[in-house]
mmCIF file of all heavy atoms in Angstrom:
data_model
loop_
_atom_site.group_PDB
_atom_site.id
_atom_site.type_symbol
_atom_site.label_atom_id
_atom_site.label_comp_id
_atom_site.label_asym_id
_atom_site.label_seq_id
_atom_site.Cartn_x
_atom_site.Cartn_y
_atom_site.Cartn_z
ATOM 1 N N GLU O 607 -17.232 18.998 -42.260
ATOM 2 C CA GLU O 607 -16.630 20.344 -42.445
ATOM 3 C C GLU O 607 -17.200 21.049 -43.598
ATOM 4 O O GLU O 607 -17.250 22.280 -43.649
ATOM 5 C CB GLU O 607 -15.121 20.284 -42.473
ATOM 6 C CG GLU O 607 -14.524 19.449 -43.557
ATOM 7 C CD GLU O 607 -12.983 19.285 -43.387
ATOM 8 O OE1 GLU O 607 -12.520 19.305 -42.298
ATOM 9 O OE2 GLU O 607 -12.291 19.061 -44.437
ATOM 10 N N GLU O 608 -17.706 20.309 -44.578
ATOM 11 C CA GLU O 608 -18.377 20.974 -45.738
ATOM 12 C C GLU O 608 -19.618 21.669 -45.294
ATOM 13 O O GLU O 608 -19.872 22.814 -45.560
ATOM 14 C CB GLU O 608 -18.679 19.952 -46.850
ATOM 15 C CG GLU O 608 -17.490 19.375 -47.596
ATOM 16 C CD GLU O 608 -16.881 18.265 -46.786
ATOM 17 O OE1 GLU O 608 -17.405 17.783 -45.768
ATOM 18 O OE2 GLU O 608 -15.740 17.848 -47.195
ATOM 19 N N GLU O 609 -20.424 20.975 -44.499
ATOM 20 C CA GLU O 609 -21.624 21.608 -43.955
ATOM 21 C C GLU O 609 -21.272 22.747 -43.109
ATOM 22 O O GLU O 609 -21.888 23.766 -43.106
ATOM 23 C CB GLU O 609 -22.446 20.593 -43.094
ATOM 24 C CG GLU O 609 -22.979 19.396 -43.905
ATOM 25 C CD GLU O 609 -22.031 18.172 -43.938
ATOM 26 O OE1 GLU O 609 -20.810 18.407 -43.999
ATOM 27 O OE2 GLU O 609 -22.480 17.066 -43.921
ATOM 28 N N ALA O 610 -20.198 22.609 -42.328
ATOM 29 C CA ALA O 610 -19.771 23.675 -41.443
ATOM 30 C C ALA O 610 -19.450 24.923 -42.229
ATOM 31 O O ALA O 610 -19.768 26.016 -41.896
ATOM 32 C CB ALA O 610 -18.571 23.239 -40.614
ATOM 33 N N ALA O 611 -18.682 24.697 -43.328
ATOM 34 C CA ALA O 611 -18.256 25.798 -44.236
ATOM 35 C C ALA O 611 -19.541 26.549 -44.694
ATOM 36 O O ALA O 611 -19.544 27.764 -44.745
ATOM 37 C CB ALA O 611 -17.401 25.281 -45.318
ATOM 38 N N ALA O 612 -20.508 25.790 -45.134
ATOM 39 C CA ALA O 612 -21.726 26.350 -45.661
ATOM 40 C C ALA O 612 -22.418 27.243 -44.640
ATOM 41 O O ALA O 612 -22.792 28.342 -44.880
ATOM 42 C CB ALA O 612 -22.668 25.258 -46.164
ATOM 43 N N ILE O 613 -22.498 26.716 -43.404
ATOM 44 C CA ILE O 613 -23.149 27.402 -42.259
ATOM 45 C C ILE O 613 -22.351 28.754 -42.037
ATOM 46 O O ILE O 613 -23.015 29.815 -41.883
ATOM 47 C CB ILE O 613 -23.176 26.543 -41.008
ATOM 48 C CG1 ILE O 613 -24.099 25.334 -41.244
ATOM 49 C CG2 ILE O 613 -23.554 27.376 -39.843
ATOM 50 C CD1 ILE O 613 -23.976 24.272 -40.143
ATOM 51 N N LEU O 614 -21.061 28.660 -41.973
ATOM 52 C CA LEU O 614 -20.260 29.857 -41.684
ATOM 53 C C LEU O 614 -20.420 30.893 -42.767
ATOM 54 O O LEU O 614 -20.675 32.091 -42.480
ATOM 55 C CB LEU O 614 -18.791 29.456 -41.538
ATOM 56 C CG LEU O 614 -18.458 28.609 -40.272
ATOM 57 C CD1 LEU O 614 -17.049 28.079 -40.380
ATOM 58 C CD2 LEU O 614 -18.674 29.342 -38.983
ATOM 59 N N LYS O 615 -20.416 30.434 -44.020
ATOM 60 C CA LYS O 615 -20.496 31.384 -45.114
ATOM 61 C C LYS O 615 -21.796 32.129 -45.098
ATOM 62 O O LYS O 615 -21.865 33.348 -45.382
ATOM 63 C CB LYS O 615 -20.368 30.617 -46.451
ATOM 64 C CG LYS O 615 -18.953 30.398 -46.902
ATOM 65 C CD LYS O 615 -18.923 29.679 -48.200
ATOM 66 C CE LYS O 615 -17.467 29.272 -48.534
ATOM 67 N NZ LYS O 615 -17.387 28.110 -49.525
ATOM 68 N N LYS O 616 -22.904 31.448 -44.713
ATOM 69 C CA LYS O 616 -24.203 32.059 -44.663
ATOM 70 C C LYS O 616 -24.175 33.242 -43.686
ATOM 71 O O LYS O 616 -24.917 34.232 -43.940
ATOM 72 C CB LYS O 616 -25.202 31.045 -44.164
ATOM 73 C CG LYS O 616 -26.496 31.067 -44.978
ATOM 74 C CD LYS O 616 -27.607 30.100 -44.392
ATOM 75 C CE LYS O 616 -27.152 28.646 -44.603
ATOM 76 N NZ LYS O 616 -28.092 27.726 -43.965
ATOM 77 N N THR O 617 -23.389 33.213 -42.689
ATOM 78 C CA THR O 617 -23.287 34.297 -41.727
ATOM 79 C C THR O 617 -22.224 35.331 -42.148
ATOM 80 O O THR O 617 -21.844 36.240 -41.432
ATOM 81 C CB THR O 617 -22.886 33.753 -40.341
ATOM 82 O OG1 THR O 617 -23.454 32.477 -40.177
ATOM 83 C CG2 THR O 617 -23.406 34.718 -39.231
ATOM 84 N N GLY O 618 -21.657 35.123 -43.257
ATOM 85 C CA GLY O 618 -20.606 36.072 -43.763
ATOM 86 C C GLY O 618 -19.214 35.769 -43.282
ATOM 87 O O GLY O 618 -18.325 36.613 -43.424
ATOM 88 N N LEU O 619 -19.037 34.577 -42.684
ATOM 89 C CA LEU O 619 -17.696 34.225 -42.242
ATOM 90 C C LEU O 619 -16.988 33.415 -43.306
ATOM 91 O O LEU O 619 -17.667 32.633 -44.012
ATOM 92 C CB LEU O 619 -17.749 33.420 -40.894
ATOM 93 C CG LEU O 619 -18.259 34.145 -39.700
ATOM 94 C CD1 LEU O 619 -18.568 33.114 -38.575
ATOM 95 C CD2 LEU O 619 -17.268 35.165 -39.240
ATOM 96 N N GLU O 620 -15.723 33.599 -43.420
ATOM 97 C CA GLU O 620 -14.993 32.794 -44.413
ATOM 98 C C GLU O 620 -14.370 31.599 -43.797
ATOM 99 O O GLU O 620 -13.445 31.774 -42.928
ATOM 100 C CB GLU O 620 -13.908 33.675 -45.064
ATOM 101 C CG GLU O 620 -13.100 32.938 -46.116
ATOM 102 C CD GLU O 620 -11.854 33.630 -46.542
ATOM 103 O OE1 GLU O 620 -11.574 34.791 -46.015
ATOM 104 O OE2 GLU O 620 -11.004 33.022 -47.188
ATOM 105 N N PRO O 621 -14.765 30.436 -44.059
ATOM 106 C CA PRO O 621 -14.111 29.194 -43.455
ATOM 107 C C PRO O 621 -12.716 28.997 -44.027
ATOM 108 O O PRO O 621 -12.599 29.011 -45.257
ATOM 109 C CB PRO O 621 -15.052 28.045 -43.873
ATOM 110 C CG PRO O 621 -15.802 28.565 -45.053
ATOM 111 C CD PRO O 621 -15.819 30.093 -45.081
ATOM 112 N N ILE O 622 -11.760 28.810 -43.234
ATOM 113 C CA ILE O 622 -10.411 28.527 -43.646
ATOM 114 C C ILE O 622 -10.030 27.124 -43.244
ATOM 115 O O ILE O 622 -10.445 26.678 -42.174
ATOM 116 C CB ILE O 622 -9.404 29.583 -42.986
ATOM 117 C CG1 ILE O 622 -9.831 31.041 -43.378
ATOM 118 C CG2 ILE O 622 -7.986 29.302 -43.364
ATOM 119 C CD1 ILE O 622 -9.015 32.056 -42.647
ATOM 120 N N SER O 623 -9.354 26.422 -44.107
ATOM 121 C CA SER O 623 -9.113 25.035 -43.752
ATOM 122 C C SER O 623 -7.701 24.811 -43.109
ATOM 123 O O SER O 623 -7.521 23.857 -42.479
ATOM 124 C CB SER O 623 -9.310 24.078 -44.924
ATOM 125 O OG SER O 623 -8.275 24.295 -45.843
ATOM 126 N N ASP O 624 -6.827 25.755 -43.369
ATOM 127 C CA ASP O 624 -5.503 25.556 -42.888
ATOM 128 C C ASP O 624 -5.235 26.470 -41.619
ATOM 129 O O ASP O 624 -5.465 27.674 -41.680
ATOM 130 C CB ASP O 624 -4.457 25.912 -43.985
ATOM 131 C CG ASP O 624 -3.093 25.710 -43.521
ATOM 132 O OD1 ASP O 624 -2.614 24.504 -43.496
ATOM 133 O OD2 ASP O 624 -2.413 26.689 -43.204
ATOM 134 N N THR O 625 -4.746 25.889 -40.596
ATOM 135 C CA THR O 625 -4.519 26.577 -39.356
ATOM 136 C C THR O 625 -3.562 27.734 -39.522
ATOM 137 O O THR O 625 -3.882 28.892 -39.024
ATOM 138 C CB THR O 625 -3.995 25.607 -38.261
ATOM 139 O OG1 THR O 625 -4.954 24.491 -38.106
ATOM 140 C CG2 THR O 625 -3.785 26.334 -36.935
ATOM 141 N N GLU O 626 -2.426 27.521 -40.174
ATOM 142 C CA GLU O 626 -1.487 28.620 -40.306
ATOM 143 C C GLU O 626 -2.033 29.743 -41.110
ATOM 144 O O GLU O 626 -1.789 30.957 -40.792
ATOM 145 C CB GLU O 626 -0.119 28.077 -40.860
ATOM 146 C CG GLU O 626 0.585 27.195 -39.851
ATOM 147 C CD GLU O 626 1.913 26.588 -40.395
ATOM 148 O OE1 GLU O 626 2.612 27.382 -41.059
ATOM 149 O OE2 GLU O 626 2.113 25.400 -40.113
ATOM 150 N N GLU O 627 -2.790 29.369 -42.101
ATOM 151 C CA GLU O 627 -3.489 30.379 -42.938
ATOM 152 C C GLU O 627 -4.349 31.291 -42.043
ATOM 153 O O GLU O 627 -4.374 32.459 -42.140
ATOM 154 C CB GLU O 627 -4.286 29.684 -44.036
ATOM 155 C CG GLU O 627 -4.848 30.601 -45.128
ATOM 156 C CD GLU O 627 -3.781 31.409 -45.782
ATOM 157 O OE1 GLU O 627 -2.713 30.812 -46.068
ATOM 158 O OE2 GLU O 627 -4.050 32.569 -46.036
ATOM 159 N N ALA O 628 -5.128 30.616 -41.212
ATOM 160 C CA ALA O 628 -6.043 31.334 -40.328
ATOM 161 C C ALA O 628 -5.294 32.227 -39.342
ATOM 162 O O ALA O 628 -5.696 33.411 -39.114
ATOM 163 C CB ALA O 628 -6.899 30.330 -39.570
ATOM 164 N N VAL O 629 -4.211 31.720 -38.854
ATOM 165 C CA VAL O 629 -3.402 32.521 -37.951
ATOM 166 C C VAL O 629 -2.831 33.780 -38.640
ATOM 167 O O VAL O 629 -2.949 34.893 -38.068
ATOM 168 C CB VAL O 629 -2.254 31.664 -37.334
ATOM 169 C CG1 VAL O 629 -1.230 32.574 -36.598
ATOM 170 C CG2 VAL O 629 -2.808 30.612 -36.408
ATOM 171 N N LYS O 630 -2.285 33.558 -39.758
ATOM 172 C CA LYS O 630 -1.695 34.693 -40.578
ATOM 173 C C LYS O 630 -2.814 35.746 -40.760
ATOM 174 O O LYS O 630 -2.552 36.898 -40.549
ATOM 175 C CB LYS O 630 -1.237 34.188 -41.936
ATOM 176 C CG LYS O 630 0.192 33.770 -41.925
ATOM 177 C CD LYS O 630 0.720 33.566 -43.367
ATOM 178 C CE LYS O 630 0.942 32.028 -43.545
ATOM 179 N NZ LYS O 630 1.323 31.661 -44.939
ATOM 180 N N ARG O 631 -4.012 35.340 -41.190
ATOM 181 C CA ARG O 631 -5.090 36.269 -41.390
ATOM 182 C C ARG O 631 -5.420 37.002 -40.119
ATOM 183 O O ARG O 631 -5.587 38.310 -40.134
ATOM 184 C CB ARG O 631 -6.298 35.475 -41.840
ATOM 185 C CG ARG O 631 -7.447 36.326 -42.460
ATOM 186 C CD ARG O 631 -7.020 36.797 -43.892
ATOM 187 N NE ARG O 631 -6.837 35.663 -44.828
ATOM 188 C CZ ARG O 631 -7.881 35.108 -45.475
ATOM 189 N NH1 ARG O 631 -9.079 35.564 -45.289
ATOM 190 N NH2 ARG O 631 -7.663 34.102 -46.277
ATOM 191 N N ALA O 632 -5.459 36.285 -38.999
ATOM 192 C CA ALA O 632 -5.829 36.942 -37.706
ATOM 193 C C ALA O 632 -4.749 37.955 -37.335
ATOM 194 O O ALA O 632 -5.058 39.051 -36.862
ATOM 195 C CB ALA O 632 -5.936 35.866 -36.631
ATOM 196 N N VAL O 633 -3.466 37.629 -37.583
ATOM 197 C CA VAL O 633 -2.363 38.539 -37.160
ATOM 198 C C VAL O 633 -2.474 39.812 -38.021
ATOM 199 O O VAL O 633 -2.395 40.918 -37.488
ATOM 200 C CB VAL O 633 -1.034 37.859 -37.342
ATOM 201 C CG1 VAL O 633 0.086 38.878 -37.190
ATOM 202 C CG2 VAL O 633 -0.850 36.683 -36.336
ATOM 203 N N GLU O 634 -2.679 39.587 -39.341
ATOM 204 C CA GLU O 634 -2.863 40.781 -40.196
ATOM 205 C C GLU O 634 -3.953 41.689 -39.740
ATOM 206 O O GLU O 634 -3.764 42.888 -39.544
ATOM 207 C CB GLU O 634 -3.169 40.281 -41.629
ATOM 208 C CG GLU O 634 -2.009 39.974 -42.460
ATOM 209 C CD GLU O 634 -2.459 39.099 -43.708
ATOM 210 O OE1 GLU O 634 -3.603 39.276 -44.191
ATOM 211 O OE2 GLU O 634 -1.719 38.246 -44.118
ATOM 212 N N LEU O 635 -5.099 41.043 -39.464
ATOM 213 C CA LEU O 635 -6.232 41.890 -39.019
ATOM 214 C C LEU O 635 -5.955 42.568 -37.708
ATOM 215 O O LEU O 635 -6.395 43.733 -37.562
ATOM 216 C CB LEU O 635 -7.470 40.884 -38.854
ATOM 217 C CG LEU O 635 -8.310 40.663 -40.097
ATOM 218 C CD1 LEU O 635 -9.432 39.678 -39.679
ATOM 219 C CD2 LEU O 635 -8.895 41.961 -40.650
ATOM 220 N N SER O 636 -5.258 41.899 -36.810
ATOM 221 C CA SER O 636 -5.026 42.467 -35.493
ATOM 222 C C SER O 636 -4.103 43.725 -35.640
ATOM 223 O O SER O 636 -4.066 44.507 -34.738
ATOM 224 C CB SER O 636 -4.403 41.440 -34.584
ATOM 225 O OG SER O 636 -3.068 41.199 -34.889
ATOM 226 N N LYS O 637 -3.353 43.773 -36.750
ATOM 227 C CA LYS O 637 -2.453 44.880 -36.948
ATOM 228 C C LYS O 637 -3.120 45.897 -37.853
ATOM 229 O O LYS O 637 -2.444 46.778 -38.370
ATOM 230 C CB LYS O 637 -1.144 44.374 -37.535
ATOM 231 C CG LYS O 637 -0.350 43.550 -36.619
ATOM 232 C CD LYS O 637 0.911 43.105 -37.261
ATOM 233 C CE LYS O 637 1.875 42.499 -36.209
ATOM 234 N NZ LYS O 637 3.015 41.858 -36.789
#
Side-chain angles (χ1 to χ4, degrees):
Chain O
E607 61 189 27
E608 291 80 11
E609 295 90 324
I613 292 166
L614 293 171
K615 275 182 188 156
K616 224 184 291 175
T617 328
L619 294 169
E620 182 196 350
I622 300 174
S623 71
D624 183 75
T625 301
E626 288 180 43
E627 190 55 41
V629 167
K630 268 190 251 175
R631 195 73 64 83
V633 171
E634 276 163 28
L635 273 179
S636 74
K637 291 181 169 171

